[in-house]
Amino acid sequence: MKKAYVHGYDQRENIRLQDQASTLVELLHADTKYPAGSRVLEAGCGVGAQTTTLARNSPQALITSVDISETSLAEARRKAMAAGLTNVQFEQADIFNLPYGPDSFDHIFVCFVLEHLARPVEALHQLKSHLKQGGTITVIEGDHGSAYFHPDSEAARQAIQCQVELQRRAGGNAMVGRELYPLLRKAGFDSIHVSPRMVYVDSSRPELVEGFTKKTFTAMIEGVRQSATEAGMVEPDVFEKGIRDLYQTAGADGVFCYTFFKAVARRSPVAVTTGS
Amino acid sequence: MKKAYVHGYDQRENIRLQDQASTLVELLHADTKYPAGSRVLEAGCGVGAQTTTLARNSPQALITSVDISETSLAEARRKAMAAGLTNVQFEQADIFNLPYGPDSFDHIFVCFVLEHLARPVEALHQLKSHLKQGGTITVIEGDHGSAYFHPDSEAARQAIQCQVELQRRAGGNAMVGRELYPLLRKAGFDSIHVSPRMVYVDSSRPELVEGFTKKTFTAMIEGVRQSATEAGMVEPDVFEKGIRDLYQTAGADGVFCYTFFKAVARRSPVAVTTGS
């Protein structure tokens, strides 16, 4: 997977991912807690935006966080050290070619990773082979097709569509959230339960107006300005209007909606497995 | 408000509304319970699809259910009698010209009504004038712009857009759900709290596949086939493909998402009111 990572690796992007994790942390992560002594793989930890929450929610679990990018891992290690985490080890590894054997982990955690992969079912299938029978996988993904807002705006929808199209060209899928159930099913998992986590923002929720509508979602769309206009996907003035209109949804009479999807599934504890 | 009612009044539509209420009843209504002796106005009860639930959830409340259509009221009365309801009286009335005085009701309940109105803020303002100070209004609306699904389909989106456009031409707004906060704010309500109610359907939830994806949403879109094609909004074969594709989302690997919005707001208990 040597495709471009659409979110980029720069410092501003780190801040955005961190903003995102700190405003959505309860919504997405509060119900993920692993028992003492369990071995957990965080596959695709990136810059460690979720790792601190994961490790603090399960302080007695033994977490291995891997990413394909050494640059991201360096930042993730720095962040874990600053947070004083003692139950996480970081290792460079490719999800499609992990250096662990069968039955290595009790649980696997995958957050904001499948959106970047051209072969998500294969990735899930590979991960399953490292999971103990009866172990669980937790997958969290966004879905940019779930974004809608008031006032509605064709320009804002076009600006969002640029991000979707750039991610598609990079081999990913920005609308993967809605597909978690069929993807996990195709990868052979059992007991799949998908739980949508909708973020609803109006001006009675000022912390979400700032933390989500402006600093997470609109900032992410602003982040593709140069790529989108250079690729000729959109007229620069339409893109600018789209961004202005997205900020309008953060006003006193604005509303912004977005849905993340969280799935938990199990590797069958009894069936004879094939090919893993 | 003499505009055409986009859902129609025929028997098949009654069944759809009833199917809808019986599959969504918990999701939308379980947390609406009014105290003994409180006077409740159900504004725009239609054929009474919600009235039975409303009355059973608050058996000691005194409910007045009004609608502008005598035809709908006849069906609502028949249904209430069949259900043995004793705490509901039905009256023909126009929301914009109600025959009740100021401070007549402790609570007002409005479900699937604003979507049909060209002047929703005025309607809410009128309703407020019949509410006691400190009383609450509960508003529930859908939002067809919140519908997304897997497999995604341009034809399905076009078919849905026909329903949105027909409702717009009839003076309504099929995407009103997301606007409840600003509408209630403009009508002068206080303490507005909006709670989105997302319906997420995959094949692990067979009762929702049948009750919502097929019998509620897709049936509703199918219901505009003739109007949409006669108005030249869509090629008949595109519409048919759209319907087929919506049924595909009810398959083993399909997913369907839709969000209703429920708002509760208060008429200010202390402020001096103007114009009401």
Side-chain angles (χ1 to χ4, degrees):
Chain A
M1 298 307 297
K2 290 290 178 190
K3 306 257 186 175
Y5 182 73
V6 71
H7 291 164
Y9 290 105
D10 60 306
Q11 183 57 27
R12 191 168 161 203
E13 180 59 21
N14 284 356
I15 292 167
R16 190 189 67 79
L17 287 174
Q18 199 54 46
D19 274 342
Q20 178 168 309
S22 38
T23 53
L24 297 174
V25 68
E26 273 297 307
L27 183 71
L28 300 184
H29 301 295
D31 54 350
T32 297
K33 293 184 197 299
Y34 298 112
S38 58
R39 295 200 58 196
V40 177
L41 173 68
E42 182 188 18
C45 64
V47 298
Q50 276 74 45
T51 308
T52 304
T53 303
L54 187 70
R56 286 189 175 154
N57 276 354
S58 303
Q60 308 288 313
L62 308 168
I63 299 169
T64 303
S65 293
V66 304
D67 201 84
I68 198 168
S69 157
E70 280 287 7
T71 315
S72 294
L73 280 172
E75 172 63 15
R77 281 196 187 93
R78 194 200 58 71
K79 210 171 279 171
M81 194 169 292
L85 303 181
T86 56
N87 60 333
V88 183
Q89 60 180 1
F90 292 95
E91 292 173 10
Q92 194 277 332
D94 181 350
I95 286 177
F96 290 92
N97 190 24
L98 290 171
Y100 314 106
D103 304 332
S104 296
F105 296 98
D106 298 291
H107 303 286
I108 295 180
F109 180 84
V110 188
C111 184
F112 304 145
V113 173
L114 299 187
E115 60 168 319
H116 301 294
L117 305 181
R119 293 168 287 142
V121 172
E122 189 181 326
L124 291 170
H125 197 267
Q126 286 290 326
L127 289 170
K128 184 158 66 85
S129 72
H130 296 271
L131 193 59
K132 291 182 187 170
Q133 292 189 13
T136 70
I137 188 167
T138 297
V139 186
I140 301 175
E141 295 289 341
D143 189 318
H144 292 358
S146 77
Y148 54 98
F149 33 82
H150 175 77
D152 197 8
S153 155
E154 174 61 27
R157 280 187 267 123
Q158 276 186 258
I160 295 167
Q161 195 52 38
C162 290
Q163 210 281 348
V164 172
E165 177 59 18
L166 284 166
Q167 195 144 344
R168 194 190 66 76
R169 292 186 188 181
N173 177 6
M175 308 203 299
V176 75
R178 72 189 71 175
E179 292 188 42
L180 293 188
Y181 184 86
L183 292 175
L184 285 160
R185 195 170 174 273
K186 286 172 186 165
F189 283 94
D190 286 341
S191 308
I192 306 163
H193 179 78
V194 175
S195 161
R197 307 285 162 109
M198 182 172 170
V199 186
Y200 166 81
V201 190
D202 63 35
S203 61
S204 72
R205 312 181 190 212
E207 70 295 344
L208 281 174
V209 171
E210 284 301 311
F212 190 77
T213 307
K214 291 183 181 176
K215 289 188 180 161
T216 298
F217 190 84
T218 305
M220 175 186 67
I221 302 301
E222 276 190 290
V224 303
R225 174 187 281 118
Q226 197 178 348
S227 316
T229 50
E230 282 180 5
M233 285 176 183
V234 64
E235 292 298 318
D237 59 335
V238 172
F239 190 89
E240 294 311 318
K241 175 167 168 33
I243 298 299
R244 281 198 308 276
D245 289 352
L246 284 174
Y247 280 112
Q248 281 281 321
T249 72
D253 282 329
V255 172
F256 191 88
C257 301
Y258 187 92
T259 298
F260 295 88
F261 292 81
K262 181 170 187 172
V264 178
R266 194 171 290 279
R267 180 176 177 188
S268 172
V270 288
V272 176
T273 57
T274 56
S276 62
Chain B
M1 297 306 297
K2 290 289 177 191
K3 307 254 187 177
Y5 182 74
V6 71
H7 291 163
Y9 290 106
D10 60 303
Q11 182 57 27
R12 189 168 163 202
E13 181 59 21
N14 284 356
I15 293 167
R16 190 190 67 78
L17 287 175
Q18 200 52 46
D19 275 341
Q20 178 169 306
S22 38
T23 54
L24 297 174
V25 68
E26 274 295 310
L27 182 72
L28 300 184
H29 302 296
D31 54 350
T32 297
K33 293 184 199 297
Y34 299 113
S38 57
R39 295 201 58 196
V40 177
L41 174 67
E42 183 189 17
C45 65
V47 297
Q50 277 73 46
T51 307
T52 304
T53 303
L54 187 69
R56 286 190 175 154
N57 276 354
S58 303
Q60 309 289 314
L62 308 168
I63 300 170
T64 302
S65 294
V66 305
D67 200 85
I68 197 166
S69 159
E70 280 289 7
T71 315
S72 294
L73 280 172
E75 171 62 16
R77 281 196 187 92
R78 195 201 56 73
K79 210 173 280 172
M81 195 169 293
L85 303 181
T86 56
N87 60 334
V88 183
Q89 59 182 0
F90 293 94
E91 293 174 9
Q92 193 276 333
D94 181 350
I95 286 177
F96 290 93
N97 190 23
L98 289 172
Y100 313 106
D103 304 333
S104 297
F105 296 99
D106 299 292
H107 303 286
I108 295 181
F109 180 83
V110 187
C111 184
F112 305 145
V113 173
L114 299 187
E115 61 169 318
H116 301 294
L117 305 181
R119 294 169 287 142
V121 172
E122 188 181 327
L124 291 170
H125 197 267
Q126 287 290 326
L127 289 170
K128 185 158 66 84
S129 71
H130 296 272
L131 193 59
K132 291 183 187 168
Q133 292 189 13
T136 70
I137 188 167
T138 297
V139 185
I140 301 175
E141 295 288 342
D143 189 318
H144 292 358
S146 77
Y148 54 98
F149 32 83
H150 175 77
D152 197 8
S153 154
E154 174 61 26
R157 279 186 268 123
Q158 275 186 257
I160 295 167
Q161 194 53 39
C162 291
Q163 211 281 348
V164 172
E165 177 59 17
L166 284 166
Q167 195 144 345
R168 193 190 66 76
R169 292 185 188 181
N173 177 6
M175 309 201 298
V176 75
R178 72 188 72 175
E179 292 187 42
L180 293 189
Y181 184 86
L183 292 174
L184 286 160
R185 194 168 173 276
K186 286 171 186 165
F189 283 95
D190 286 340
S191 308
I192 308 162
H193 180 78
V194 175
S195 161
R197 308 284 162 110
M198 183 172 170
V199 186
Y200 167 82
V201 190
D202 63 36
S203 60
S204 72
R205 310 180 191 214
E207 70 295 344
L208 281 174
V209 170
E210 283 302 311
F212 189 76
T213 306
K214 291 183 182 175
K215 289 187 181 163
T216 298
F217 190 84
T218 305
M220 174 185 68
I221 301 302
E222 275 190 290
V224 303
R225 173 187 281 116
Q226 197 178 348
S227 316
T229 50
E230 282 180 6
M233 285 177 184
V234 64
E235 291 299 318
D237 59 335
V238 172
F239 190 88
E240 294 311 319
K241 176 168 167 34
I243 298 299
R244 281 198 308 277
D245 288 352
L246 284 174
Y247 280 112
Q248 280 282 322
T249 72
D253 283 328
V255 172
F256 191 88
C257 301
Y258 187 92
T259 298
F260 295 89
F261 291 81
K262 181 170 187 172
V264 179
R266 194 170 290 279
R267 180 177 177 188
S268 171
V270 286
V272 177
T273 56
T274 56
S276 64

